């Protein structure tokens, strides 16, 4: 009933959303273009932009939001949504400019300053990012997410003591937040306060048993403390509960490699099976490729080692240990020039790693998601949308 669909902007938006969800991106765009000149005016176009943003069609969303800048009645709402869309499209400078334009007009909110902090963080402006997040906190001191995001940004720069203070404030504000306890566990593990990290992760799992990151964090910290029996129980529980998450298989396999007798072929076989299962779920698991390569090298299976180690180097070129293992393999294969190249890469990376270690940083500590940066938890504002980007 196309005639009836065109009468209501909500119906046009719903049809556009349906096209996006079945993979018909161009048809979705054509449908949303019906909102241009529609009697619903700027409100209809704003809704269309939300639909496009939800489908991660950020180009279309930004164009629709920008087209109603002069006519949409709520410039703060529109500006925030446009800025968030540009951020998600990795147009970070443009997102920052949009936010500053709205803020300079006297329209500000905790969400705006939170997103501004993320924009500044992405541009490596730590001091300015922290200042923006401080304003976000001042505007809403009871909003847990601001403290967690501040802790995440500080953790990315290894400002761990300050990050811990921020996450402790999140716990004070939201004592039943599993996310706050999970972040607390991560930071405490990086600070090598393993007892506190275990306690925090246990609380996170207690509050939300269905969160895989909390369970994995607990298992990894237990492993790091050498509490093998407890860690193994948690790993096994994780592999059964979160069957599609390769991290449990991979980290469990690492534990078997680290804590087993080098001559224990049974445990070695179990570890190999875990790494192979992880790769079936996600072939891009670089650590699994690395571990399989090392096991193959140990057992003189040089071609298998070559395949896995070269794949690991391609997936994680900044991982020094991979290049060191490759240099050892190339020596075994008699590839002198390749060995020399890998040794140079290894030595360069180790120099960079040493320079990166500061007084508030703990190196060589295996923790879950240690390289991950939590993205803005902001929500696209406005009516009739279920868009909640991470």
């Amino acid at each position: 009933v196309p005639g009836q669909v065109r009468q209501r902007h909500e119906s046009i938006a719903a049809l556009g959303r349906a096209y996006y969800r079945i993979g018909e991106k161009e048809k979705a765009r054509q449908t949303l273009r019906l909102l241009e000149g529609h009697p619903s005016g700027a409100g209809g176009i704003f809704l269309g932009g939300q639909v496009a943003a939800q489908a991660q069609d950020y180009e279309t969303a930004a164009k629709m939001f920008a087209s109603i800048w002069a006519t949409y009645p709520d410039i703060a709402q529109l500006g925030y949504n446009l800025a968030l869309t540009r951020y998600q499209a990795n147009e970070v400078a443009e997102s920052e400019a949009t936010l500053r334009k709205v803020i300079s007009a006297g329209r500000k909110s905790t969400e705006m300053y939170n997103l501004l902090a993320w924009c500044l963080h992405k541009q490596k402006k730590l001091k300015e990012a922290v200042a923006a997040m401080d304003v976000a906190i001042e505007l809403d001191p009871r909003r847990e997410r601001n403290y967690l995001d501040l802790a995440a940004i500080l953790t990315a720069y290894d400002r761990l003591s300050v990050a811990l203070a921020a996450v402790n404030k999140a716990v004070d504000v939201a004592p039943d937040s599993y996310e706050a306890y999970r972040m607390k566990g991560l930071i405490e593990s990086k600070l090598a306060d393993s007892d506190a990290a275990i306690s925090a992760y246990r609380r996170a799992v207690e509050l939300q048993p269905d969160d895989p990151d909390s369970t994995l964090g607990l298992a990894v910290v237990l492993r790091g403390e050498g509490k093998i029996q407890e860690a193994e129980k948690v790993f096994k529980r994780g592999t059964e509960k979160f069957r599609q998450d390769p991290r449990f298989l991979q980290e469990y396999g690492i534990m078997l490699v680290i804590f087993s007798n080098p001559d224990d072929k049974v445990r070695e076989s179990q570890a190999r099976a875990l790494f192979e299962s992880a790769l079936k779920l996600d072939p891009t698991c670089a650590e699994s490729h690395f571990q399989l390569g090392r096991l193959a090298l140990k057992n003189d299976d040089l071609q298998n080692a070559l395949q896995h180690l070269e794949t690991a180097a391609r997936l994680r070129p900044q991982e020094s240990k991979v290049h060191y293992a490759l240099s050892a393999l190339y020596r075994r294969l008699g590839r002198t020039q390749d060995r020399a190249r890998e040794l140079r890469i290894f030595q360069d990376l180790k120099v960079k790693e040493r320079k990166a270690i500061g007084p508030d940083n703990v190196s060589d500590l295996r923790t879950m998601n240690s390289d991950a940066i939590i993205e803005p938890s902001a929500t696209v504002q406005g009516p009739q949308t279920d868009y909640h980007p991470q």
Side-chain angles (χ1 to χ4, degrees):
V1 284
Q4 293 185 42
V5 169
R6 290 189 179 93
Q7 292 176 17
R8 294 172 54 83
H9 67 280
E10 297 91 345
S11 301
I12 295 172
L15 180 58
R17 178 181 287 112
Y19 276 131
Y20 276 125
R21 289 186 177 178
I22 64 171
E24 295 282 359
K25 185 175 183 178
E26 191 52 43
K27 285 187 177 180
R29 287 176 165 180
Q30 291 174 4
T31 300
L32 294 182
R33 276 197 283 270
L34 296 174
L35 293 168
E36 299 173 5
H38 192 272
S40 60
I45 295 175
F46 180 82
L47 179 59
Q50 289 180 299
V51 169
Q54 179 184 16
Q56 299 181 7
D57 183 359
Y58 301 127
E59 179 184 356
T60 298
K63 286 180 179 177
M64 297 188 78
F65 289 142
S67 72
I68 56 174
W69 189 266
T71 56
Y72 194 72
D74 190 340
I75 194 64
Q77 183 188 63
L78 176 63
Y80 175 79
N81 281 272
L82 177 57
L84 181 59
T85 299
R86 285 174 168 164
Y87 179 92
Q88 291 166 324
N90 205 30
E91 297 173 357
V92 179
E94 292 82 354
S95 177
E96 179 191 351
T98 301
L99 289 167
R100 292 196 183 281
K101 184 176 181 180
V102 176
I103 291 170
S104 65
R107 309 295 295 275
K108 60 183 181 180
S109 67
T110 185
E111 292 84 5
M112 284 186 193
Y113 275 97
N114 181 292
L115 181 54
L116 178 60
W118 281 105
C119 289
L120 293 164
H121 160 63
K122 286 286 189 178
Q123 298 173 79
K124 309 297 183 184
K125 300 175 181 178
L126 174 59
K127 185 176 180 180
E128 294 90 334
V130 171
M133 199 66 79
D134 284 343
V135 176
I137 290 171
E138 289 175 9
L139 290 171
D140 189 353
R142 304 302 301 174
R143 189 172 187 257
E144 166 207 2
R145 176 50 55 187
N146 288 332
Y147 299 106
L148 292 180
D149 288 354
L150 175 58
I153 290 173
L154 290 166
T155 299
Y157 293 90
D158 291 312
R159 302 297 197 270
L160 300 179
S161 298
V162 188
L164 182 59
V167 82
N168 283 336
K169 184 62 179 177
V171 171
D172 291 340
V173 170
D176 293 328
S177 167
Y178 76 93
E179 291 180 279
Y181 278 100
R182 184 181 67 199
M183 176 67 76
K184 182 175 170 67
L186 174 61
I187 295 170
E188 288 169 335
S189 67
K190 284 177 171 288
L191 287 167
D193 189 351
S194 299
D195 290 339
I198 290 170
S199 177
Y201 276 129
R202 287 195 193 281
R203 180 58 177 156
V205 172
E206 179 184 333
L207 289 167
Q208 180 49 274
D210 294 330
D211 177 48
D213 290 340
S214 298
T215 301
L216 183 62
L218 175 59
V220 168
V221 177
L222 288 168
R223 181 187 67 191
E225 278 296 280
K227 299 181 178 182
I228 306 308
Q229 291 184 339
E230 290 183 72
E232 191 157 20
K233 288 180 182 178
V234 180
F235 275 127
K236 286 183 176 180
R237 187 165 68 243
T239 57
E240 293 169 0
K241 188 177 183 65
F242 308 106
R243 295 180 181 273
Q244 298 304 309
D245 193 330
R247 297 176 300 168
F248 287 93
L249 299 164
Q250 177 173 276
E251 298 299 325
Y252 186 12
I254 290 171
M255 187 182 75
L256 295 182
V257 169
I258 293 174
F259 292 99
S260 297
N261 188 308
D263 298 324
D264 190 339
K265 295 299 181 183
V266 174
R267 298 285 271 186
E268 182 180 306
S269 178
Q270 291 175 339
R272 186 182 296 107
L274 287 166
F275 295 134
E276 290 171 348
S277 296
L279 290 176
K280 286 180 181 178
L281 291 173
D282 183 0
T284 67
C285 288
E287 184 67 23
S288 290
H289 281 293
F290 171 71
Q291 294 292 342
L292 286 170
R294 287 186 63 192
L295 291 174
L297 183 60
K298 172 189 171 185
N299 292 299
D300 296 323
D301 185 355
L302 301 188
Q303 290 305 311
N304 197 22
L306 182 65
Q307 176 187 342
H308 283 295
L309 289 177
E310 287 187 338
T311 301
R314 186 174 67 253
L315 293 170
R316 296 290 294 274
Q318 300 303 312
E319 195 81 44
S320 63
K321 66 181 181 181
V322 177
H323 296 283
Y324 185 81
L326 264 177
S327 71
L329 173 60
Y330 288 144
R331 179 181 60 81
R332 297 272 297 274
L333 291 171
R335 294 167 55 172
T336 307
Q337 290 184 340
D338 290 334
R339 181 201 177 199
R341 182 193 68 239
E342 293 302 318
L343 276 176
R344 284 195 302 271
I345 296 172
F346 165 74
Q347 291 165 353
D348 290 343
L349 290 174
K350 291 304 290 184
V351 169
K352 291 179 181 178
E353 288 171 9
R354 284 193 291 270
K355 289 180 178 179
I357 296 174
D360 202 15
N361 182 29
V362 179
S363 63
D364 298 327
L365 178 66
R366 187 183 301 281
T367 56
M368 67 140 207
N369 291 340
S370 59
D371 296 326
I373 302 297
I374 301 172
E375 290 298 316
S377 54
T379 303
V380 169
Q381 298 178 335
Q384 303 174 46
T385 177
D386 56 357
Y387 182 33
H388 298 281
Q390 297 302 311

